Amino acid sequence: MRLTVWTYEGPPHVGAMRVAAAMEDIHFVLHAPQGDTYADLLFTMIERRPSRPPVTYTTFQARDLGSDTAEIFKRAVAQAYERHRPEALIVGASCTAELIQDDPGGLATALALPVPVIPLELPSYTRKECWGASETFYRVVSTMLGGQDRPQPRVRSDGEPATCNILGPTALGFRHRDDVAEVRRLLTLLGVGVNVIAPLGMRPSDARRLPQADFNIVLYPETADTTARWLERKFGQPPIRTVPIGVGATREFIVEVAGAAGVDPTPALEDGALRLPWWSRSVDSNYLTGKRVFVFGDATHAIAAARVAAEEMGFSVVGLGAYNREFAREVREAAARHGVEPLITDDYLEVERRIAELQPELVLGTQMERHVAKRLGIACAVISAPVHVQDFPAHAAPQMGYAGANVLFDSWVHPLAMGLEEHLLGMFRDDFEFNDAAGPSHLSGERTANVEAQATAAAAAPDDGPAHSHSAGPITWTGEAEKELRKIPFFVRGKARRNTEAYALAEGLTTISVETLYDAKAHYTR
Ligand code: SF4
């Protein structure tokens, strides 16, 4: 294992915590050394949950290693059960506890508690957080459904709506809360019922109702894919695999869901929540076309973002990668479609090197890439976990569905628009009304003495008075030409003057007339 300052994923027991913390009435007993309680902070500080995650740590210390750590674990399980009385318990070990080989599953089962005990094998030295979440979700569902056989195919009576399960949202997920709300809204437009959302908000006993749905929506493959495959094998429930991020994917998702439910997709396809037409009319998007974009994140969000960038925003994808190796094949296929080299790594320094090498104009990445992009002076928007406190805004900000597409437009275009403002500031830095010493125009009362002096000089300049000639070194402006120059908006006037003088010098002219001004304009706009 490698110690690092930054990491895209935590150890697998953090993934298990994300599932436990998302659920209701479940408790996780983690055999772990004292320091591991840090993981609580991810949930209380980053996600700002009102309560601690439902986890009991054994918090053994170095001195306990010489004695009976198995006894410490059994005591912790018994106490956690007595205190919380959950519907089910999950038990596992963190990295250090894994080395002690105490067998949490066997020890907890030996206590013969009156609730299901779900043992987790979390190989901390080979697997990480996303895998841990997926494995935990699968273990909870398969244990709770253990004895159930395949139900008879459900025959819906006339008018009875089709139902589905929404699989994958967890605690500490990137915009999961808001994505679920938007997907539910689309399902309502289609007249499709939601049977169980899992694991977010699910009780262990709710897992027993999963087979009642007509199909499963695999909202976050990183967490839900294994479980969805198992449900398909065991109960014949078809999975919907299109992840509705972006307008195109949302439409595909709606058509796929409507097909599985046997309903008309039109009400959802024509939903007015999409503001793309308004956005396209109201934004001069020409300057966005062809912007060079580097995309990195978890596989699902990175693949979706690259597709939206290329097909919906007109950007050019120059790099694509993901940190979770379980989905490397999907990322490689997507990279091939965009004609770029895939980057599959969990080393943020390697990602930083690739960004520096490619010099994109926009980075779509995780909080890690946000820091990297800031250091390199490149615009950036966050599209994926690992999450940061900013990724839990008070307002709804989904990534999925039409509402999510609106959020993508805003959050990707604004950093570029800021970049444009910087560019304008650079261009007009030398203009007397727009230079570094000049205060903001809306604070004209606070201008520096220097600027006041410049303004006074400008007022006395020929522009305000009758037209007469003005000399700039070897070049002389006729009064008429100066008057014409004053018609140009102030913020481009300095540049127009410099360009015209450069043109006159190149042409061997010493006097700038109105004709010279227009010839120079024609020359530079050619
Ligand atoms: S046991 Fe693993 S997760 Fe816990 S502090 Fe040690 S290295 Fe980190």
Side-chain angles (χ1 to χ4, degrees):
M1 191 172 35
R2 203 167 136 201
L3 288 178
T4 178
V5 184
W6 283 352
T7 175
Y8 288 102
E9 292 183 87
H13 71 254
V14 170
M17 287 179 70
R18 286 178 55 184
V19 171
M23 290 179 64
E24 304 286 330
D25 228 349
I26 197 163
H27 201 83
F28 181 20
V29 181
L30 182 66
H31 204 14
Q34 214 171 19
D36 270 359
T37 51
Y38 78 90
D40 274 13
L41 298 181
L42 299 172
F43 298 85
T44 52
M45 283 182 66
I46 296 182
E47 193 168 3
R48 288 175 284 194
R49 295 171 66 88
S51 57
R52 282 193 51 234
V55 181
T56 294
Y57 306 85
T58 53
T59 57
F60 59 81
Q61 299 174 28
R63 65 167 178 267
D64 296 322
L65 294 177
S67 58
D68 194 354
T69 48
E71 202 45 50
I72 295 177
F73 181 77
K74 283 205 291 193
R75 212 169 32 241
V77 174
Q79 285 171 354
Y81 173 71
E82 279 309 316
R83 183 162 175 213
H84 301 285
R85 296 280 172 161
E87 274 190 9
L89 272 169
I90 49 182
V91 297
S94 78
C95 333
T96 311
E98 192 188 340
L99 298 174
I100 313 172
Q101 298 187 322
D102 270 342
D103 182 19
L107 292 170
T109 309
L111 292 172
L113 295 171
V115 292
V117 172
I118 304 162
L120 301 176
E121 292 289 335
L122 300 170
S124 303
Y125 299 92
T126 50
R127 300 294 192 165
K128 296 198 162 203
E129 182 179 326
C130 287
W131 184 90
S134 169
E135 176 69 7
T136 306
F137 183 38
Y138 164 67
R139 291 282 162 207
V140 169
V141 169
S142 57
T143 304
M144 297 308 292
L145 279 168
Q148 284 198 30
D149 290 329
R150 188 182 180 129
Q152 294 296 318
R154 203 162 80 93
V155 183
R156 291 199 306 275
S157 55
D158 266 0
E160 190 189 351
T163 63
C164 64
N165 301 313
I166 298 178
L167 305 181
T170 62
L172 217 61
F174 185 72
R175 311 288 167 86
H176 288 195
R177 170 198 68 187
D178 301 335
D179 284 347
V180 167
E182 170 65 1
V183 168
R184 280 197 87 139
R185 195 184 67 81
L186 293 175
L187 292 169
T188 304
L189 288 173
L190 287 167
V192 174
V194 175
N195 180 49
V196 176
I197 299 172
L200 191 67
M202 178 181 85
R203 309 170 78 84
S205 53
D206 289 336
R208 299 202 175 105
R209 294 193 291 109
L210 283 167
Q212 293 168 12
D214 296 294
F215 56 93
N216 290 317
I217 291 175
V218 187
L219 210 56
Y220 302 102
E222 271 80 0
T223 314
D225 190 57
T226 305
T227 304
R229 283 178 198 280
W230 184 80
L231 289 169
E232 186 178 17
R233 272 199 313 276
K234 193 155 165 71
F235 301 107
Q237 288 175 308
I240 302 290
R241 295 200 175 279
T242 303
V243 177
I245 297 180
V247 179
T250 297
R251 291 200 169 125
E252 280 169 30
F253 171 82
I254 289 169
V255 170
E256 212 179 325
V257 169
V263 296
D264 177 10
T266 314
L269 287 173
E270 291 179 352
D271 176 34
L274 180 65
R275 306 197 75 199
L276 174 64
W278 163 84
W279 187 85
S280 303
R281 275 197 309 273
S282 64
V283 174
D284 173 13
S285 54
N286 287 342
Y287 76 91
L288 297 173
T289 308
K291 286 279 180 201
R292 304 174 71 256
V293 184
F294 178 88
V295 187
F296 194 86
D298 68 34
T300 299
H301 285 88
I303 292 170
R307 179 182 166 180
V308 173
E311 294 178 11
E312 296 174 22
M313 312 284 270
F315 295 160
S316 164
V317 175
V318 295
L320 172 62
Y323 53 78
N324 51 333
R325 291 175 191 279
E326 290 86 1
F327 288 80
R329 185 172 55 82
E330 287 82 347
V331 177
R332 287 200 187 94
E333 286 169 3
R337 284 196 294 278
H338 293 287
V340 297
E341 189 68 27
L343 179 61
I344 315 291
T345 181
D346 58 2
D347 179 350
Y348 66 90
L349 293 174
E350 198 180 337
V351 180
E352 178 163 10
R353 274 195 295 277
R354 185 69 70 90
I355 294 173
E357 214 173 274
L358 291 169
Q359 285 295 317
E361 287 153 286
L362 177 67
V363 170
L364 300 175
T366 71
Q367 287 292 339
M368 234 87 92
E369 285 66 49
R370 190 173 68 89
H371 284 282
V372 167
K374 195 170 175 194
R375 207 166 33 242
L376 297 173
I378 302 171
C380 178
V382 176
I383 55 144
S384 156
V387 285
H388 185 260
V389 69
Q390 290 170 347
D391 297 321
F392 294 91
H395 64 279
Q399 298 285 288
M400 294 187 179
Y402 292 138
N406 296 338
V407 171
L408 297 188
F409 298 136
D410 286 347
S411 54
W412 299 7
V413 168
H414 287 171
L416 285 170
M418 284 303 282
L420 189 75
E421 283 167 22
E422 291 292 326
H423 171 70
L424 285 169
L425 286 171
M427 233 169 111
F428 301 120
R429 180 155 288 145
D430 297 333
D431 193 283
F432 81 94
E433 285 162 289
F434 217 63
N435 61 59
D436 286 342
S441 54
H442 65 288
L443 296 177
S444 53
E446 296 171 21
R447 284 178 172 191
T448 62
N450 181 29
V451 177
E452 288 298 349
Q454 284 186 39
T456 311
D463 305 303
D464 294 327
H468 60 272
S469 69
H470 169 75
S471 170
I475 306 273
T476 304
W477 286 70
T478 66
E480 289 300 319
E482 277 286 357
K483 200 171 173 187
E484 200 65 14
L485 183 70
R486 292 293 292 168
K487 292 179 186 165
I488 298 174
F490 77 92
F491 53 92
V492 285
R493 200 179 301 144
K495 192 168 176 66
R497 181 189 288 281
R498 285 192 298 280
N499 282 351
T500 309
E501 288 174 0
Y503 171 79
L505 275 176
E507 293 292 310
L509 302 172
T510 50
T511 304
I512 292 175
S513 63
V514 174
E515 287 69 34
T516 321
L517 184 60
Y518 280 99
D519 286 348
K521 181 173 180 288
H523 172 79
Y524 286 106
T525 49
R526 214 173 279 151

